[in-house]
Every structure is written in C-alpha cells, then in structure tokens.
Amino acid sequence: METRKVRILFLVFYVLSLLVWIIEEIYTLSKPPEYFDRFRVLIATIESFIALSSFLVVFILYKELKKEAVENRQAKTQIHDLKRTNRILINPEKGFWAEAKAQMTDWNLTDVETEIAILLLRGFSQKQIAAVRKKSLRTIENQTASIYEKSSMRGKLEFISFFLTPLLPEED
C-alpha cells in the first residue's frame, strides 16, 4: 500500500511539472527574448526533469504491466486446476483417468510414454515397468526422463503429486 502512495505522489508531482512546463512555454512565447535568456538554465533544468520523469513513469507502468501479466497467468493456472479438480470429482473413477490421459495428451506424450506414465501413477518402479514391458531398465529410465521433461516435473514424486493433489481435501 505504501508504494501505491508513493506512485500517486509521484504522478501528482509529474502532472504539476507538466503544468509548470506549459506555463513556462506560454510565458516564453509572450515575453521578449531578454526575459527568456535570464531563466534559460532554470527552464532547461525543468524540461530535463520532466523528460526524465516521463521515462520513470513509462518504467513504472512497464513494471506494473509485467506484474499484472504474472498475476493473470497464475490466475489462469489456478482456474485450470480447479476445473480439472471438478471434472475429476464429478466421476472419480472415470474422471481421474480421463483427466490424466488428457493431461498426457497436452504434454504430447507418445503412446509408449503414456503407458509408462500410467504405470508410474499406479506406483510401479522403473525395474517393475521394465519387467512388465520386457524392455531394458536403461530404456525405461530414458523414457521416464522424457516424461518428466515434457511434463516439467523433476521426478516421480512430483509427477504423481500433480495428479493426486486435486483429489486431496482443502487444508483447514
């Protein structure tokens, strides 16, 4: 709240500076040149301050727009998460897997990666997945690394948490 007061004070000062500048310009045009020569240093200082103030105002507005964009992006993410939670809770059995598969499609996982991701969600280890799929452990490690990269997750716990968090009740 304090920064808002500072911004308002600065904007008031800026508007007053513009008014002084306009009055000075009118005065300069209406008086003979010798009056202007006496005050040219003062006038140049005022004009320089107004110019610098303009840059500062533009910078402040730019920072505000960036902050609003971040808040907007966070709000959209939260809305998306709440909608996903609602779709899951409408029909928990089918809703969970439908949402999980839809999310995997959004992440552009291949069919093989989707199958492995489902096994990860079911709690299988990489060794168990390798045995079930009859592939080498190294292949499964590479595929799970690809899944985590595409989903922007850092590991199995974060990956599973992403899908289970919407099912948890709100904290008191």
Side-chain angles (χ1 to χ4, degrees):
M1 200 56 147
E2 191 66 32
T3 58
R4 183 181 171 124
K5 288 180 183 178
V6 170
R7 288 183 190 137
I8 291 171
L9 185 64
F10 178 78
L11 288 175
V12 167
F13 185 70
Y14 177 72
V15 168
L16 289 174
S17 299
L18 285 176
L19 289 174
V20 168
W21 188 16
I22 291 169
I23 292 168
E24 175 268 325
E25 290 296 326
I26 292 170
Y27 178 78
T28 302
L29 292 173
S30 64
K31 297 295 177 189
E34 64 268 3
Y35 289 112
F36 177 71
D37 288 340
R38 287 188 202 161
F39 299 108
R40 77 175 190 263
V41 172
L42 176 65
I43 292 168
T45 303
I46 291 171
E47 288 175 342
S48 298
F49 176 75
I50 292 170
L52 289 174
S53 299
S54 297
F55 286 117
L56 189 58
V57 167
V58 169
F59 177 74
I60 289 170
L61 291 175
Y62 174 74
K63 294 294 269 183
E64 284 292 317
L65 285 174
K66 278 185 80 170
K67 187 171 116 181
E68 292 294 325
V70 168
E71 289 175 3
N72 191 12
R73 196 169 27 255
Q74 289 171 341
K76 284 181 180 181
T77 300
Q78 193 170 19
I79 288 169
H80 175 74
D81 291 345
L82 289 172
K83 284 181 179 179
R84 183 168 59 100
T85 301
N86 283 338
R87 286 191 300 264
I88 291 171
L89 293 177
I90 288 171
N91 185 352
E93 291 175 15
K94 291 183 181 177
F96 177 82
W97 290 111
E99 282 302 311
K101 288 180 181 177
Q103 184 62 58
M104 291 174 200
T105 301
D106 287 349
W107 287 331
N108 296 319
L109 298 185
T110 65
D111 292 339
V112 171
E113 290 170 338
T114 299
E115 183 182 332
I116 292 170
I118 289 170
L119 292 172
L120 288 170
L121 285 173
R122 291 188 182 276
F124 283 59
S125 69
Q126 290 181 343
K127 275 185 171 179
Q128 291 171 325
I129 295 170
V132 168
R133 299 203 74 247
K134 297 181 174 100
K135 300 289 180 186
S136 74
L137 180 59
R138 187 70 184 145
T139 300
I140 300 303
E141 288 172 348
N142 289 336
Q143 290 169 326
T144 54
S146 175
I147 291 167
Y148 300 147
E149 183 179 331
K150 288 180 179 180
S151 65
S152 300
M153 304 291 165
R154 290 180 294 230
K156 184 177 181 178
L157 290 177
E158 188 176 356
F159 184 76
I160 292 171
S161 174
F162 176 84
F163 291 99
L164 294 183
T165 300
L167 301 174
L168 299 174
E170 290 294 319
E171 295 177 23
D172 292 329

